Amino acid sequence: MKDIRKEKSDKTVERILVAARMVFAEKGYSGAHVDEIAERAGVNKATIYYQIGDKDTLYANVIHQVLGNTAQNIAGAVAKADSPEEKLKAYINCIAENVDKNPELPPIMMREVASGGATLPRVVIEDIASVLTILIGILEDGRKKGVFIETVPFLIHMMIVGTIVFYKKAAPVKDRQLWLPATLKAHDKKLKSSLGEEVAALVLKAIKR
Amino acid sequence: MKDIRKEKSDKTVERILVAARMVFAEKGYSGAHVDEIAERAGVNKATIYYQIGDKDTLYANVIHQVLGNTAQNIAGAVAKADSPEEKLKAYINCIAENVDKNPELPPIMMREVASGGATLPRVVIEDIASVLTILIGILEDGRKKGVFIETVPFLIHMMIVGTIVFYKKAAPVKDRQLWLPATLKAHDKKLKSSLGEEVAALVLKAIKR
DNA sequence: ATTATTTAACTAAACGGTTATTTAAACTGA
DNA sequence: TCAGTTTAAATAACCGTTTAGTTAAATAAT
């Protein structure tokens, strides 16, 4: 009993959400226009209102889709690792991978933090909290076992996320500035390994006893 | 010699710029309304157009005022220090201090990076480049002297700035979430020293040979 | 099975509030 | 009075949202 209409409308909703994610990431909430989202989705503006609702609801859907599942990914990745060091590596790499898979994550996160998380749905905040709880566990365990120094978990988290998110978004911007002084271009080498590995190495070295 | 009118209009311009800085930081470019800026400045909207120009120009002025002079501060602070370690500490602390002095810096930076620096005036990009050049010098010198490992300067810069900016803006957000799980609140301790010192310690440890 | 009816999905056009910008008049000190 | 400055009011474009109508798939009736 396949309902052709249902299938089509599902695709429509998906196209709207994809377009919305892109436009919100590029322009931010107020900079994003429903007209542009509709155009990119190849859909009439009113269809967005019919299928999803107003701009707020649309944004909440995007946020949930973008930030929601990352938490479970992290939890899963960390659980597979054993030692605190391995767990922390998994934690960092998982964040880096999610950012890779999801180029809209950095700009959306940055703008959300910039605005003080004013529009964050509670569900998302709970997700973030669960991620932080995982990190606290790793750091505490590592300290008890004498492999980590004492740290402020929240600062470490900001270091991990801040570094990855900023680098991911700022590196292309820098590379685009072709007129930069030669000194800068000369040092414009690629990372030896992946961003996650590189950040993990730095953070681990920073907090190892 | 003293032209009362000139003085008054100077103060008007200053009040406009201060108000604009606040509103742009809170709401971003498209979220900021000229009406609100005028209201906060205690000035008629048309005065903004008479004294400064359109919204774009106003924003450019704010960006210049906020990001422009930080570069010189950093250059000055670094020059006063001797060893690569001390220079790097000065570099990091200076950024942290500027962020402290200037609460509008984090949100504006984040949104600017999020949008791919689309609206950054060239002057500002040159300032950022000069700061990066300074960091490259420090790291290279330190590596030559055998006190630093080899690093990717741009990544280190993103680590420093990302950590400071994210922490500065996200910490208050987290503290406002009173309903967070007890585990998180328990670890909600203040930093032992200043944010700059703390980040400097971590980064130095991360890149020391 | 064919026709008629209902319903889901979508669209074009318009509405109404918002907001950046302009204009012209009023004010203020020299 | 006159130039520099500020203001209230008007303008025009923009943009989120609604409405009224269309298409076509699904269902019911014949």
Side-chain angles (χ1 to χ4, degrees):
Chain A
M1 197 51 157
K2 49 164 188 180
D3 191 333
I4 293 179
R5 288 182 302 180
K6 188 80 201 304
E7 278 173 25
K8 243 186 84 182
S9 83
D10 281 355
K11 291 209 173 174
T12 304
V13 169
E14 188 55 28
R15 281 219 313 284
I16 292 171
L17 286 177
V18 169
R21 197 167 62 203
M22 286 179 6
V23 178
F24 280 132
E26 281 172 29
K27 313 276 182 72
Y29 180 81
S30 350
H33 301 324
V34 180
D35 282 285
E36 186 177 353
I37 294 171
E39 193 183 13
R40 283 215 215 174
V43 152
N44 188 280
K45 195 168 36 160
T47 304
I48 293 176
Y49 288 86
Y50 175 75
Q51 291 285 7
I52 293 175
D54 63 9
K55 199 182 172 187
D56 269 326
T57 311
L58 179 58
Y59 183 69
N61 274 289
V62 168
I63 290 280
H64 183 65
Q65 184 187 303
V66 169
L67 297 179
N69 284 24
T70 303
Q72 277 96 349
N73 293 351
I74 294 174
V78 168
K80 284 197 201 101
D82 293 319
S83 64
E85 287 110 317
E86 290 305 316
K87 277 178 190 293
L88 187 57
K89 273 190 208 166
Y91 184 89
I92 296 173
N93 266 313
C94 186
I95 293 177
E97 278 160 24
N98 272 275
V99 165
D100 261 339
K101 263 193 315 201
N102 217 325
E104 293 91 4
L105 206 79
I108 288 180
M109 277 197 62
M110 283 192 256
R111 277 192 247 261
E112 212 52 63
V113 174
S115 71
T119 58
L120 277 186
R122 189 186 181 112
V123 200
V124 177
I125 299 192
E126 274 160 7
D127 282 337
I128 297 171
S130 81
V131 171
L132 258 175
T133 308
I134 292 172
L135 181 64
I136 290 174
I138 298 174
L139 293 174
E140 216 162 51
D141 189 32
R143 195 187 51 76
K144 273 189 202 139
K145 289 183 174 151
V147 295
F148 291 161
I149 62 176
E150 186 164 2
T151 52
V152 181
F154 189 70
L155 178 61
I156 303 299
H157 184 71
M158 288 302 114
M159 175 167 260
I160 294 167
V161 173
T163 306
I164 292 175
V165 161
F166 256 73
Y167 183 87
K168 203 72 193 175
K169 195 66 194 170
V173 176
K174 178 195 153 215
D175 292 344
R176 214 178 313 125
Q177 309 294 337
L178 302 176
W179 48 272
L180 278 179
T183 330
L184 274 177
K185 301 303 289 180
H187 286 267
D188 179 5
K189 43 191 154 206
K190 290 266 155 60
L191 303 178
K192 287 108 205 158
S193 48
S194 75
L195 178 57
E197 297 288 348
E198 204 99 8
V199 173
L202 285 167
V203 171
L204 266 171
K205 189 142 178 296
I207 71 171
K208 258 206 185 122
R209 176 166 296 286
Chain B
M1 179 74 130
K2 51 165 188 167
D3 192 335
I4 292 181
R5 286 183 304 179
K6 182 79 192 255
E7 279 172 23
K8 248 185 85 179
S9 83
D10 280 355
K11 292 212 170 171
T12 305
V13 169
E14 188 54 29
R15 281 219 312 284
I16 293 170
L17 286 176
V18 169
R21 197 167 64 205
M22 285 178 7
V23 178
F24 280 131
E26 280 171 30
K27 313 276 181 72
Y29 180 81
S30 347
H33 302 324
V34 180
D35 281 286
E36 185 177 354
I37 294 171
E39 193 183 13
R40 282 215 216 173
V43 153
N44 188 279
K45 197 173 24 165
T47 303
I48 293 176
Y49 287 86
Y50 175 76
Q51 293 285 6
I52 293 176
D54 64 9
K55 199 183 171 186
D56 270 326
T57 310
L58 179 58
Y59 183 69
N61 273 289
V62 167
I63 291 280
H64 184 65
Q65 185 188 302
V66 169
L67 297 180
N69 284 23
T70 304
Q72 278 95 349
N73 293 351
I74 294 174
V78 168
K80 286 198 201 98
D82 293 319
S83 65
E85 288 110 316
E86 289 306 316
K87 276 178 189 294
L88 186 57
K89 272 191 209 166
Y91 184 90
I92 296 173
N93 267 313
C94 186
I95 292 177
E97 277 160 25
N98 272 276
V99 164
D100 261 339
K101 263 193 314 200
N102 218 324
E104 293 91 5
L105 207 78
I108 287 180
M109 277 198 62
M110 282 192 256
R111 276 193 251 260
E112 211 53 60
V113 173
S115 72
T119 57
L120 276 186
R122 188 184 180 114
V123 200
V124 175
I125 300 192
E126 275 161 6
D127 281 338
I128 297 171
S130 80
V131 170
L132 259 175
T133 308
I134 292 172
L135 181 64
I136 290 174
I138 298 174
L139 293 174
E140 216 162 51
D141 189 34
R143 194 187 51 76
K144 274 189 202 142
K145 290 186 172 146
V147 295
F148 292 162
I149 62 175
E150 186 164 3
T151 52
V152 181
F154 189 70
L155 178 62
I156 302 300
H157 185 71
M158 288 302 114
M159 175 167 260
I160 295 166
V161 173
T163 307
I164 292 174
V165 161
F166 256 73
Y167 183 88
K168 203 70 192 179
K169 195 64 194 172
V173 175
K174 179 195 152 215
D175 293 344
R176 214 179 312 126
Q177 309 293 340
L178 302 176
W179 48 273
L180 279 178
T183 331
L184 273 178
K185 300 305 289 179
H187 286 268
D188 179 7
K189 43 190 153 205
K190 289 269 156 58
L191 303 178
K192 288 109 205 155
S193 48
S194 74
L195 177 57
E197 297 288 347
E198 204 99 7
V199 173
L202 285 167
V203 171
L204 266 171
K205 190 144 177 297
I207 70 171
K208 259 206 185 121
R209 177 165 297 285

